[in-house]
């Protein structure tokens, strides 16, 4: 069964193009190491919640946008191997202080797909 790494980050709106460039680079690396698909989605209709919400979860601030993204892998074992190789890839060795998002507020996790149509 396929496996998904999902994540949510906040990006200053003025850094959208910089984020897209980093996302494209990372997507290529993940695909080179076995990912089937990488999807990055820019906030369009993300309401504030009363109890919980995407904005509350990432502590979205004025002028920031939320990115909802996932990486589809063929299996958990392919993900484990592919993610390890991706993180060791020289192209992935970036200065995290220069990233166009706040990594401290990133939410991420791996998910087993239970329904796929």
């Amino acid at each position: 069964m396929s496996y998904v790494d999902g994540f949510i980050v906040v990006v200053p709106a003025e850094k959208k193009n910089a984020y897209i460039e980093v996302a494209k680079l990372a997507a290529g690396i993940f695909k080179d190491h076995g990912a089937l698909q990488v999807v990055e989605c820019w906030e369009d209709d993300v309401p504030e919640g009363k109890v919980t919400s995407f904005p509350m979860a990432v502590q979205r601030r004025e002028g920031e946008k939320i990115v909802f993204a996932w990486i589809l892998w063929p299996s958990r074992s392919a993900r484990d191997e592919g993610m390890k190789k991706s993180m060791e890839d020289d192209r992935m060795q970036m200065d995290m202080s220069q990233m166009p998002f706040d990594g401290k507020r990133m939410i991420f996790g791996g998910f087993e797909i239970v329904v796929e149509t």
Side-chain angles (χ1 to χ4, degrees):
M1 182 65 79
S2 300
Y3 195 80
V4 172
D5 276 315
F7 62 93
I8 302 168
V9 296
V10 286
V11 180
E14 71 271 7
K15 293 186 178 182
K16 180 178 182 180
N17 290 335
Y19 180 83
I20 291 170
E21 290 306 310
V22 169
K24 285 179 182 179
L25 173 65
I29 296 167
F30 291 130
K31 290 192 81 178
D32 285 350
H33 295 294
L36 301 173
Q37 181 185 45
V38 179
V39 178
E40 302 265 354
C41 306
W42 190 259
E43 173 183 341
D44 181 55
D45 181 20
V46 182
E48 292 285 342
K50 292 186 182 199
V51 176
T52 189
S53 65
F54 283 123
M56 292 167 73
V58 294
Q59 301 171 3
R60 181 178 65 186
R61 299 175 186 144
E62 185 72 29
E64 291 181 329
K65 297 292 185 176
I66 295 172
V67 171
F68 174 62
W70 63 90
I71 305 167
L72 178 65
W73 300 92
S75 65
R76 167 73 191 263
S77 62
R79 176 268 202 159
D80 290 349
E81 182 178 333
M83 188 60 77
K84 181 178 185 309
K85 287 180 180 178
S86 294
M87 293 300 119
E88 293 170 348
D89 192 301
D90 288 341
R91 296 170 293 168
M92 192 65 88
Q93 306 313 310
M94 304 172 216
D95 181 355
M96 292 308 286
S97 70
Q98 299 301 310
M99 289 293 106
F101 61 90
D102 184 352
K104 293 181 198 118
R105 292 185 285 150
M106 174 188 251
I107 298 171
F108 60 91
F111 299 85
E112 178 183 328
I113 296 174
V114 294
V115 175
E116 187 173 8
T117 62

